[in-house]
Amino acid sequence: MATPAHADPAVHPASTAAGSENQSYGAWLLSWIMTSDHKRIGILYGLSALFFFVLGGIEALIIRTQLARPGLHVVDPATYNALFTMHGTTMIFLGVMPFSAAFFNYLVPLQIGARDVIFPRLNAFSFWLFLCGGIILNVPFVLTPFVDMRVIPDGGWFGYATLTEKEYSPGASIDFWVCGLQILGIASMAAGFNFIVTIFNLRAPGMTLLRMPVFTWMTLVVQFLVVLSFPCITIALVLLLFDRQFGTHFYIPEGGGDPLLWQHLFWLFGHPEVYILILPAMGIVSEVLPTFSRKPLFGAPFVIFSGITIGLLGFGVWSHHMFTTGLGAAADASFAVTTMLIAIPTGVKIFNWLATIWGGQLRLTTAMLFALGFVCMFTMGGLSGIMHASPPVDLQQQDSYFVVAHFHYVLFGGAVFGLLAGIYYWFPKMSGRFLSESWGRVIFGLVFVGFNTTFFPMHIVGAAGMPRRIFTYEAGLGWEIPNMIETAGAFIIAFGVLFFIIDLIRCMMAKEMTAGPNPWDASSLEWVCDSPPKVHNFDITPVVYSDRPVFDKTHGLGPGYSLPVGHEHIHIPPPSLRPLFLAIAVAWFLASWLIAGQAMMLGVVSALLATAFMLYSCFSWFLEPGH
């Protein structure tokens, strides 16, 4: 086989976490800031998501401590509102979503036999813009001691009108929230278009759509959900910004507006967002279970098409969040039916996973344990979700802790368990090292026990009448013991996450890389590459002959894949600061509206300067050599 033309390592640094031995720390750090390598961007997403996940977890611990006993005053009511607003916003937009994006970035090009995403610098721009949005959302925590106004977002992560209007939320708190979410929306949509075009155009020869790994399929469905749903919340936020800054009345009844318009727009985004969060975990589990069951995924085409069906039906169920708003019998009945229907493709996936496990040669690695935990916890969350397809039941439970238990079983028991399975499964590929299996089993036990200890009692107190979003409660209502148990469970989860971070650091400090290309005897193309992969992934683009190419070739079940003899030109965009500059410019421009809410002229001047910087960044991007 002819040796392909490799990129200059001084220009295209390797994608491993550490720099070369003779490379200064400053040069190593700059190489990460300037990178457009999808693997490095995936790692940056993962580290950022872990930071924000811990931040959201600390907010949750303070919330649970406040509710541990009746009448406590760990925080005041205003701070409590800010904490549960930022906890929900952080976990959804800055925790689980970017954790999924880390896997998308790192794995999709490897799984389809590509050298990178189709627009590498747009990929870098998406990450830096995401980071800017996360900073803007959380900078109010730093500003609070220095300003004489409410700046920490405190209108709930759902931002219901008219509570977010200027009359009820003075100060800049909601403006920070609106600005941060707008920035995150642009970042998500840029990444979404990038991955859609990548998956359709950069697949290896022979990789038909039905030969793609299930994780790549779920990634594709998620990207369509992103580009179709995020415009809804973008419109909702723009209308809210106009109400707050320019005196319009889109959500104000006295001016002819309608507060329910916000709910329709928000949940038109919000329910597809649930599947944006859970489908990546479903894709991960669909890779992990077959590998550690030593069997192909049972009914893989059904798993794929059920994921597509979930994505399609996800746009037709949004108003089950609004059964209590008085939409009328016809609307309630139609959305009740669609909510029941979406349980069918979800059930198909669950039965296919169980059939995959049945009769398999199970290896109970930590990744497998988290995948099995996902199936159990997500099924429980789904069963409680079917209850809320009934409007009479939903009317009773809508504003109770029963719903809090339901969506945490779906989003933590589902999405987070799936993501943890993915970390343990693909960490050897990303780093060349194994996370400790003995530590991993302890971590799984702590997280599993802590999760159920925290959230299962919420079903009980919710059914007993404990409302959501309350700062405290009176003694004698029968809620004291369950709330104390829930708080204890939250701290058990925290210990599990702490041990995970310690093990992650311990593993990365190890110098030896003992993981080979395919330590799990898995089936998809990423396991052809070195661990960690080269900067260009593949020396020669593989040709694919089956849906399990690596496993089939390894075990003599067929050709699987081949590496053609010949020479390939490898082009990788050189490192660049332009994506970072453009991300800062876009975030600066949107933040100017935040400034305009307090000082109009200053905001206008800031917007003009940001526009100039944006134009410079765009033109220098396009004119930069190697683009």
Side-chain angles (χ1 to χ4, degrees), residues 177-322:
W177 187 74
V178 169
C179 180
L181 291 189
Q182 290 282 40
I183 293 170
L184 293 174
I186 297 171
S188 297
M189 290 190 65
F193 285 115
N194 203 352
F195 279 105
I196 289 171
V197 179
T198 297
I199 292 170
F200 279 124
N201 288 277
L202 294 188
R203 299 194 309 278
M207 181 169 282
T208 62
L209 288 175
L210 285 179
R211 286 177 178 172
M212 287 197 314
V214 175
F215 177 75
T216 299
W217 258 111
M218 294 304 101
T219 300
L220 181 61
V221 175
V222 165
Q223 305 317 314
F224 274 107
L225 291 176
V226 166
V227 301
L228 292 173
S229 66
F230 265 87
C232 298
I233 194 172
T234 300
I235 293 168
L237 292 168
V238 168
L239 298 183
L240 178 59
L241 180 70
F242 273 63
D243 274 10
R244 290 181 60 84
Q245 306 285 24
F246 304 112
T248 58
H249 303 90
F250 290 106
Y251 304 125
I252 301 175
E254 294 83 356
D258 187 354
L260 288 185
L261 174 61
W262 168 271
Q263 290 201 36
H264 281 294
L265 289 171
F266 182 83
W267 290 117
L268 259 171
F269 152 79
H271 206 81
E273 170 69 8
V274 173
Y275 303 112
I276 290 170
L277 299 175
I278 198 65
L279 282 172
M282 290 179 170
I284 291 169
V285 168
S286 298
E287 303 286 338
V288 173
L289 291 179
T291 297
F292 295 116
S293 299
R294 305 289 293 168
K295 288 176 61 181
L297 179 64
F298 183 88
F302 288 93
V303 175
I304 291 168
F305 284 106
S306 65
I308 297 170
T309 306
I310 288 171
L312 292 173
L313 290 176
F315 284 98
V317 298
W318 79 90
S319 280
H320 71 217
H321 296 276
M322 301 171 62

Side-chain angles (χ1 to χ4, degrees), residues 363-398:
R363 288 182 289 168
L364 294 179
T365 62
T366 305
M368 185 65 163
L369 291 174
F370 274 111
L372 294 172
F374 164 90
V375 175
C376 296
M377 298 301 96
F378 179 73
T379 302
M380 290 182 64
L383 291 173
S384 63
I386 294 174
M387 299 179 190
H388 300 123
S390 170
V393 174
D394 186 79
L395 284 167
Q396 299 299 314
Q397 298 176 350
Q398 174 66 250

Side-chain angles (χ1 to χ4, degrees), residues 25-271:
Y25 175 77
W28 173 80
L29 182 61
L30 185 63
S31 73
W32 280 84
I33 294 173
M34 298 177 66
T35 189
S36 59
D37 178 10
H38 71 97
K39 299 178 290 298
R40 284 191 159 200
I41 292 171
I43 292 170
L44 289 171
Y45 266 114
L47 293 175
S48 302
L50 182 60
F51 170 80
F52 286 120
F53 184 83
V54 170
L55 181 61
I58 292 171
E59 292 161 353
L61 290 177
I62 299 172
I63 291 169
R64 286 306 330 157
T65 303
Q66 168 63 26
L67 294 173
R69 301 294 298 167
L72 293 180
H73 291 278
V74 177
V75 293
D76 58 63
T79 303
Y80 183 87
N81 286 343
L83 285 170
F84 91 76
T85 298
M86 288 305 298
H87 167 69
T89 302
T90 300
M91 285 303 198
I92 292 171
F93 294 101
L94 304 177
V96 178
M97 274 192 74
F99 254 132
S100 300
F103 287 106
F104 300 157
N105 276 276
Y106 203 103
L107 294 171
V108 167
L110 293 171
Q111 289 196 331
I112 65 174
R115 293 207 166 87
D116 209 314
V117 295
I118 200 162
F119 304 120
R121 293 184 183 180
L122 181 63
N123 202 26
F125 165 77
S126 300
F127 167 73
W128 292 117
L129 194 58
F130 150 76
L131 192 60
C132 289
I135 291 170
I136 287 176
L137 276 171
N138 285 280
V139 76
F141 285 108
V142 179
L143 293 178
T144 294
F146 306 103
V147 295
D148 188 23
M149 68 170 74
R150 289 161 54 188
V151 290
I152 303 176
D154 56 358
W157 66 269
F158 37 79
Y160 283 162
T162 55
L163 293 176
T164 49
E165 295 288 346
K166 204 77 171 178
E167 179 181 357
Y168 302 105
S169 294
S173 59
I174 301 302
D175 298 324
F176 273 101
W177 187 74
V178 169
C179 180
L181 291 189
Q182 290 282 40
I183 293 170
L184 293 174
I186 297 171
S188 297
M189 290 190 65
F193 285 115
N194 203 352
F195 279 105
I196 289 171
V197 179
T198 297
I199 292 170
F200 279 124
N201 288 277
L202 294 188
R203 299 194 309 278
M207 181 169 282
T208 62
L209 288 175
L210 285 179
R211 286 177 178 172
M212 287 197 314
V214 175
F215 177 75
T216 299
W217 258 111
M218 294 304 101
T219 300
L220 181 61
V221 175
V222 165
Q223 305 317 314
F224 274 107
L225 291 176
V226 166
V227 301
L228 292 173
S229 66
F230 265 87
C232 298
I233 194 172
T234 300
I235 293 168
L237 292 168
V238 168
L239 298 183
L240 178 59
L241 180 70
F242 273 63
D243 274 10
R244 290 181 60 84
Q245 306 285 24
F246 304 112
T248 58
H249 303 90
F250 290 106
Y251 304 125
I252 301 175
E254 294 83 356
D258 187 354
L260 288 185
L261 174 61
W262 168 271
Q263 290 201 36
H264 281 294
L265 289 171
F266 182 83
W267 290 117
L268 259 171
F269 152 79
H271 206 81

Side-chain angles (χ1 to χ4, degrees), residues 466-539:
M466 183 173 178
R468 304 160 66 181
R469 309 162 191 151
I470 57 170
F471 154 71
T472 189
Y473 54 95
E474 296 180 0
L477 297 173
W479 303 342
E480 296 94 331
I481 294 177
N483 273 283
M484 179 59 76
I485 293 171
E486 291 162 16
T487 301
F491 279 92
I492 294 173
I493 296 174
F495 278 111
V497 174
L498 177 62
F499 290 165
F500 169 75
I501 294 172
I502 292 172
D503 188 34
L504 191 68
I505 296 171
R506 179 201 61 80
C507 182
M508 290 308 301
M509 291 179 67
K511 292 184 178 180
E512 292 187 7
M513 297 185 183
T514 57
N518 191 6
W520 307 127
D521 194 18
S523 61
S524 46
L525 279 183
E526 72 269 26
W527 303 104
V528 174
C529 303
D530 297 333
S531 299
K534 302 170 184 175
V535 67
H536 53 274
N537 296 344
F538 302 93
D539 289 340

Side-chain angles (χ1 to χ4, degrees), residues 540-561:
I540 299 291
T541 301
V543 177
V544 177
Y545 302 107
S546 74
D547 59 348
R548 306 176 73 207
V550 178
F551 189 88
D552 288 351
K553 187 177 181 72
T554 302
H555 293 273
L557 302 177
Y561 72 95

